[in-house]
């Protein structure tokens, strides 16, 4: 048992947990005042349901011995059995601690999807979708990406992306961001356009969004740095690349925003930061600090344009989950194939460092497989919910606001003289 690593991971778990209110504030500030509470409750609701599923069988599905590289054993660690023993360790830390670290990854990934359905999805339908998607999509995909051979037990066999394809995804560009972004696109299509689609939808509280983005930025050091699973040089390098890529993305987003509209905005700064964090997530252990500047800058510039896809293609992704998380995740995953350097923790060279296209095609296959699988299954889940319990609130309820029609507490009690 490595007490230093254990202490480090305890701190990372606190940082990850602070991403929950961070995401809630980020999303809650961007929607209308009539649905802010509902938006924030979607985050907390998703975390709660996924947390229980994780203990019951989620951890086992992700890190249990693999069935052909596609799914871990559902029963091997069901109920976290045999994992609470003091000497059960992963990389020198208690396996129970490793488990809750990964549980927060699962919960936050599911919560990310909610940004695409703001203002118009039934809360009950969202909770059902969150639970079913976690089981059918997140747990299998996380097994593909995060379950390395021999991680939990000496003889355990892991997922195909990690152990057969050998794509690099340090902290979840595929399993988290591409996965959530593809699902968000599918649900948005099934759900349909909101009444405000095509109109200027102003965030009701930009300071809340900026505060949420800042909390997410802080928590992302735990997200990426904690994925090193040790308080050492790799974690330090990852935190550096995470920081500098985010700075570059903010500047790139604002520069493009100024070019396009003549203004720079608070929501733009917040969105640029998230775009940079998303893009550097798979690459943080593979690129140099200078490479991270390119990763963040490229992602920040591309994602500004990507958020406009919804108007051109006609899908209503309310809070730009597709434009930021799907596109940013794909950009970051692919750029590993260009900017990876063998001097970094992942010890692989990309195209620009003499490695040819070998790593690039691996990155492309991983990104494509996760995107297609997540989109197809999420679409099927949402469609079944639509045809059974119903997925969308009525036009009258949408006009009045979800907070007042589905919840007892609105975000603000407004009184006028």
């Amino acid at each position: 048992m490595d007490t230093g690593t254990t202490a480090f991971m305890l701190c990372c778990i606190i940082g990850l947990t602070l991403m929950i209110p961070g995401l809630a504030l980020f999303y809650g500030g961007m929607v209308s005042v009539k649905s802010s509470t509902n938006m924030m409750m979607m985050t907390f609701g998703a975390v709660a349901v996924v947390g229980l599923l994780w203990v019951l069988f989620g951890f086992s599905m992700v890190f249990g011995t693999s069935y052909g590289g596609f799914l871990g054993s559902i029963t091997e660690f069901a109920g976290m059995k045999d994992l609470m023993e003091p000497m059960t360790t992963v990389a020198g830390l208690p396996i129970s601690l490793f488990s809750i670290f990964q549980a927060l990854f699962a919960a936050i990934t599911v919560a990310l999807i909610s940004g695409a359905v703001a203002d118009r999805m039934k809360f009950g339908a969202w909770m059902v979708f969150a639970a079913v998607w976690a089981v059918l999509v997140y747990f299998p995909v996380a097994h593909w990406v995060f379950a390395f051979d021999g991680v939990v037990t000496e003889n355990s066999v892991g997922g195909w992306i990690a152990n057969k394809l050998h794509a690099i995804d340090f902290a979840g560009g595929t399993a988290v961001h591409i996965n959530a972004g593809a699902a968000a696109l599918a649900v948005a299509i099934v759900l349909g356009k909101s009444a405000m689609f095509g109109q200027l939808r102003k965030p009701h509280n930009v300071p809340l969004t900026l505060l949420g983005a800042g909390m997410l930025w802080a928590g992302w050091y735990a997200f990426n740095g904690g994925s090193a699973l040790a308080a050492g040089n790799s974690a330090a390098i990852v935190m550096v690349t995470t920081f500098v890529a985010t700075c570059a993305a903010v500047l790139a987003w604002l520069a493009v925003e100024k070019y396009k509209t003549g203004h720079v905005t608070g929501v733009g700064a917040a969105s640029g930061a998230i775009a940079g964090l998303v893009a550097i997530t798979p690459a943080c252990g593979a690129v140099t600090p200078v490479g991270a500047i390119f990763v963040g800058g490229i992602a920040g510039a591309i994602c500004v344009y990507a958020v406009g896809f919804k108007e051109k293609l006609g899908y209503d992704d309310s809070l730009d989950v597709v434009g930021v998380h799907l596109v940013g995740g794909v950009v970051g995953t692919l750029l590993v194939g260009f900017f990876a350097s063998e001097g970094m923790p992942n010890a692989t060279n990309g195209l620009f460092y003499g490695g040819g296209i070998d790593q690039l095609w691996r990155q492309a296959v991983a990104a494509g497989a996760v995107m297609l699988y997540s989109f197809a299954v999420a679409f099927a889940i949402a469609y079944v919910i639509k045809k059974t319990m119903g997925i969308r609130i009525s036009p009258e309820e949408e006009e009045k606001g979800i907070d007042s029609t589905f919840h007892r507490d609105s975000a603000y009690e407004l009184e006028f003289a």
Side-chain angles (χ1 to χ4, degrees):
M1 189 82 69
D2 185 331
T3 56
T5 291
T6 299
F8 171 68
M9 292 304 294
L10 284 167
C11 293
C12 286
I13 286 168
I14 295 171
L16 278 174
T17 305
L18 288 174
M19 293 180 79
I20 298 169
L23 181 63
L25 290 169
F26 179 72
Y27 280 170
M30 284 202 289
V31 296
S32 74
V33 70
K34 298 184 296 182
S35 58
S36 183
T37 296
N38 173 264
M39 192 72 257
M40 299 176 80
M41 284 183 64
M42 283 185 163
T43 294
F44 280 83
V47 171
V49 71
V50 175
L52 291 184
L53 293 174
W54 182 262
V55 171
L56 293 175
F57 51 79
F59 178 83
S60 191
M61 288 179 67
V62 177
F63 293 103
T65 299
S66 185
Y67 297 121
F70 293 99
L71 184 67
S73 169
I74 297 175
T75 60
E76 185 175 3
F77 302 119
M80 303 289 289
K81 62 183 179 184
D82 303 325
L83 297 183
M84 298 296 110
E85 297 296 327
M87 296 308 293
T88 306
T89 63
V90 171
L93 65 138
I95 198 168
S96 54
L97 203 58
F98 172 75
S99 174
I100 194 170
F101 179 74
Q102 288 292 335
L104 287 161
F105 270 56
I108 291 168
T109 302
V110 176
L112 288 175
I113 302 169
S114 65
V117 304
D119 300 320
R120 64 198 190 282
M121 187 173 186
K122 292 180 179 180
F123 186 74
W126 162 250
M127 293 294 285
V128 172
F129 176 86
V132 177
W133 187 84
V135 174
L136 297 185
V137 181
Y138 182 81
F139 295 160
V141 171
H143 178 75
W144 303 352
V145 176
F146 294 142
F148 288 88
D149 292 345
V151 168
V152 176
T153 62
E154 186 176 345
N155 299 317
S156 65
V157 178
W160 69 276
I161 289 179
N163 302 290
K164 303 295 184 183
L165 183 62
H166 299 294
I168 292 173
D169 187 353
F170 196 87
T174 55
V176 176
H177 300 293
I178 294 176
N179 206 6
L185 176 59
V187 181
I189 292 172
V190 174
L191 196 59
K193 303 170 187 176
S194 72
M196 295 292 292
F197 183 73
Q199 303 177 38
L200 179 61
R201 291 190 282 193
K202 294 183 178 181
H204 90 276
N205 195 321
V206 175
L208 277 189
T209 295
L210 284 165
L211 175 60
M215 292 177 67
L216 288 170
W217 189 340
W220 229 287
Y221 294 121
F223 201 94
N224 289 355
S227 294
L229 298 181
N233 187 59
S234 292
I237 290 172
V238 163
M239 290 188 181
V240 171
T241 56
T242 298
F243 172 70
V244 72
T246 310
C247 293
V250 171
L251 295 177
W253 187 295
L254 293 179
V256 174
E257 192 175 52
K258 176 69 174 177
Y259 170 76
K260 289 179 64 180
T261 69
H263 303 280
V264 293
T265 66
V267 171
S271 299
I274 301 304
L277 291 163
V278 168
I280 199 60
T281 293
C284 57
V287 301
T288 66
V290 173
I293 293 175
F294 282 99
V295 170
I298 292 170
I302 289 176
C303 287
V304 180
Y305 290 99
V307 297
F309 290 172
K310 60 187 179 184
E311 279 81 19
K312 295 178 181 179
L313 299 179
Y315 63 88
D316 190 356
D317 171 23
S318 306
L319 304 185
D320 301 318
V321 182
V322 178
V324 173
H325 291 275
L326 176 57
V327 175
V330 170
V331 168
T333 298
L334 294 180
L335 288 181
V336 171
F338 292 95
F339 290 102
S341 170
E342 65 179 2
M344 296 297 102
N346 285 121
T348 299
N349 279 331
L351 181 63
F352 295 159
Y353 287 80
I357 65 169
D358 181 67
Q359 194 60 47
L360 179 58
W361 75 260
R362 298 176 190 277
Q363 300 301 117
V365 170
V370 171
M371 181 166 53
L372 292 174
Y373 178 75
S374 180
F375 177 87
V377 180
F379 189 95
I381 296 168
Y383 188 79
V384 170
I385 293 173
K386 179 180 180 179
K387 293 299 182 181
T388 53
M389 65 183 294
I391 197 169
R392 182 165 177 162
I393 63 175
S394 69
E396 294 76 20
E397 291 166 335
E398 187 176 348
E399 172 65 25
K400 189 175 181 181
I402 303 180
D403 285 0
S404 61
T405 56
F406 282 85
H407 308 291
R408 291 183 62 185
D409 19 76
S410 58
Y412 310 97
E413 292 296 332
L414 302 177
E415 296 184 3
F416 300 95

